[in-house]
Amino acid sequence: MADYPPRNPFPARGIASGEETSLPTFLSSWPGRACTAVLPSVSRAERLARAYLDGFPRDGGLSCLYGAHGIGKTHAARHMMAFVQDERPEAVQLYLRFHEDDFVAAYRRLVSQLSQTLLADLSLGYLGTIESDLAARAVRRASHAEGMAPDRLGPDLVETGEVLEEQAKEIAAVAGDGPRFQRALTYLIRPDYSEAAYDWLCGRPISPGAAAAIGVDGRIDDPLTCRYGLQLLATLVTRGGRPFVIVLDQCEKFLLVDGEPVAANIGLLQGLVEMIPEASGLLLLVTSETGWEVMPQDLRQRLGAGACHLLPLTPDQAELVLSTYIGAARQAPHTGIQPFTDMGLRELLRHSGGNIRLLLQLAWASFEAAAPRLSSIDAEVVSRASARRSRSPDLASLAKQIETELRAEGLSAERVEENGRLASFQVPDGREPRAVIRLSEAVFFDDEVANASEVLESGPRCFTALLVTGYVSPPVLDTLREAIPVVLVADGSAAFARELHGLVERIAAIRGPAGQPDTLDEALLARLEELSVERRGEAAALRRELAELAERLERAERKSRSDWPARRDELRERIAEARDARAAADWEEFRRSRADVVERRGTLLGRLKVAMGTTAALVIAALASAPIQSIPLTLTLMIGAAGTAGGTLYVRGRLGSIKVSHPRSSLQSPRDLDRLVRQTPPDANSPDPVGRYAHVLRTDPDQAYQELVDAMLAEPLPLVRQAIGRRLAVAARSPSDCVPEVLRGQRDGAPEMLLLLARRQRHAESGRPRVLRDLAPELRVLVALANPDALELAAGAVSPHPAELALEALGVRGSQHPLAQGFRGGAVQSLPVEIPPSALRATAHLLSPLERNGLGAYDWLPMITKVDDLYLFFEELLYYQETFRSTRHKS
């Protein structure tokens, strides 16, 4: 026990204080008072601050940290502020934690963090900067006019009136009530009314006499004026040569009231997001996932790659957290996690759900329960210590919670056990289950993932939901959500209870054949799809973009601009690898579905043989007992024979519904599929995907158009959906006539329906159907790619959507547009157009073959090569723009 920590190294509450103060002593002392593990969120916040300080005063900064409560957002923000204080002690930093939706009260708390002396110094520095700028301007004018050397000109070239006039112009540009703010700043530096002016700027009440003397009427008490005040404060600080950092924490309390978004507050936040970075300040928003979801799309787009989603801890990150705190207690950083064992660490993750706050609380409780009697803290110690604190239910408690929800919705369910433990609930619907809710212990990133996949993919082919107790390693969660419609992590929170209730309601709404959700429940499906995209795609995509951006910037500093060919070759290689991986995944899913059907048929065939044998044996026994006049025995045997005969008929009926042609045929490659399809009778409703595939290839798309459309929407396998889409694409209907089906496919999760749109429009020159120009911008990109000789088909109304840049590059806005000339001529380096990097990144993201929902990820599109070219064009634009910015900042 020599290396046992001398004290409990973990905070009992698992949180560190975050007072609303800008005192330099508090900011600089943060690293000494709070242990900080260098997690991705901490590194991201530090990189943000470093980039802002390197670019100051030319550029501002904007970012958003969002994630679950207790995930470490505030800690990362405080670490960033401590970093800024260490690098630039003269910086002015403000921290605000919203308590409610009252922006006026928040403004008063925020500005009051600045002392009267500091605010007066900022005002004087601002005036000094204006005077210096005017003097330099006057020197240049005089030297040009008189031909005199600048050092021989007199020093008094600027009058006080000019300074005040220029100040009034600048204040009017950032504050809607410029005269009042200017008078307050003027009296702030006069001793007689300095205190009253300071109180007024802080939103405090002042006496009527003081208000009349200063020239203001009443206190600041409306949100818009408060927003102007913050914008003016940013200008005061940065124009005086000091960096300005403002952190707004718990924004969800400001944006939401009783769960409903407050439109006025969202507008105020949008104004700050635009103005503070424009004034060369750094604005960091900190919010929960709910706060992030309520932000409008244009605000998210403005944040762009600056948004950082904080995810639950991975096992490696949890190990880093424990070692950081234990090392601080031993005064020897990163010395391992002893006395915690590896299994103890896993148990901490299971009970905490990867939430860093709860993990630290449970680590504290476990240490208290073990010391000083035990030399190690294993899974058993952690489990006992977590019993009173952990919210995560075990399998038994989770099962009770599920049963309660099912009963409340009027649903009955069969409990299914596997290997001696409860594995799932099956909601019946005739002979086949309507839905299955599977249960699993915590899942980590190791062999348990493969085991979980095998368990999940066994059983009925119907709507399936997976509920995991406590924890799923973030890299695994994305994979599970790609394979299973609904994956919920039972962490005991109110959010999980709401998600479980919504899941049961969704199961209750399923109608028709097993596994087919109710298509009328479009709002619920759209909401679930949106959440799925955000959690599984957007966050991971943004993180990858940031990593790529950092890599590009580092290369730009070391090498010349000629690195683009190597970068392009690297992207092409990654695109090929991603396409191969997607094709392999689609094929494996198809092959596995076929194997499941064959296995199910074999199981039923075996049961049929057993039932028939049993029936025959019982009949023979009954006949044999008849001569000895044992009526009860004979009657019992005949009843048993009748029962087994009924079972035989039932099994035979189920076997008849599973028609599999050539079940022993090999299916290892697409060549095997082509051979097997020629030998398989077509069957649109067959559980065998080969039968459905054969039906698609032998169906006339003109005579059975609606049948194929319905089959596309109901088909679960991408490979079959792609075959249906290719078949529909040769129908006589023109793309403009297929728009309703395309939009329905987009809404119902069948993107292969885009094959109906990605075709040349017949008689485009004369018809010019309006319906194509009214499509969403990203769909009009496909129209333009498919109709390069009739680009007017895609010339819809201009919007701020990223796809508009792609349309401009294709020439929809005219062949003389700079983007169109650059795309067709290849002169990207000399392109005479300035486009914000965030817009370029958003456009590249939209077209990307490397992102889950990028247009380039639809590998089955006939114009996929053109999509790749367009994507590489915007990547090249972004590459050269970032190279230029890096070189400019370095110089």
Side-chain angles (χ1 to χ4, degrees), residues 491-506:
D491 57 3
S493 65
F496 167 73
R498 290 193 297 270
E499 290 174 336
L500 176 60
H501 181 71
L503 169 64
V504 174
E505 285 186 336
R506 181 178 179 183

Side-chain angles (χ1 to χ4, degrees), residues 678-758:
R678 288 194 294 270
Q679 304 171 2
T680 301
D683 186 352
N685 300 314
S686 173
D688 180 11
V690 177
R692 301 198 301 273
Y693 198 95
H695 173 76
V696 171
L697 297 185
R698 300 174 192 176
T699 300
D700 188 327
D702 291 317
Q703 294 180 1
Y705 176 82
Q706 192 58 47
E707 177 187 344
L708 288 175
V709 169
D710 295 338
M712 167 87 80
L713 297 174
E715 177 57 50
L717 296 179
L719 207 63
V720 181
R721 291 201 303 268
Q722 293 163 24
I724 297 174
R726 287 190 292 269
R727 196 67 180 155
L728 285 171
V730 301
R733 297 194 181 200
S734 63
S736 58
D737 295 329
C738 298
V739 167
E741 288 80 11
V742 172
L743 297 179
R744 187 180 173 191
Q746 289 286 99
R747 184 177 62 249
D748 292 349
E752 292 81 5
M753 204 75 80
L754 288 175
L755 286 166
L756 280 72
L757 183 67

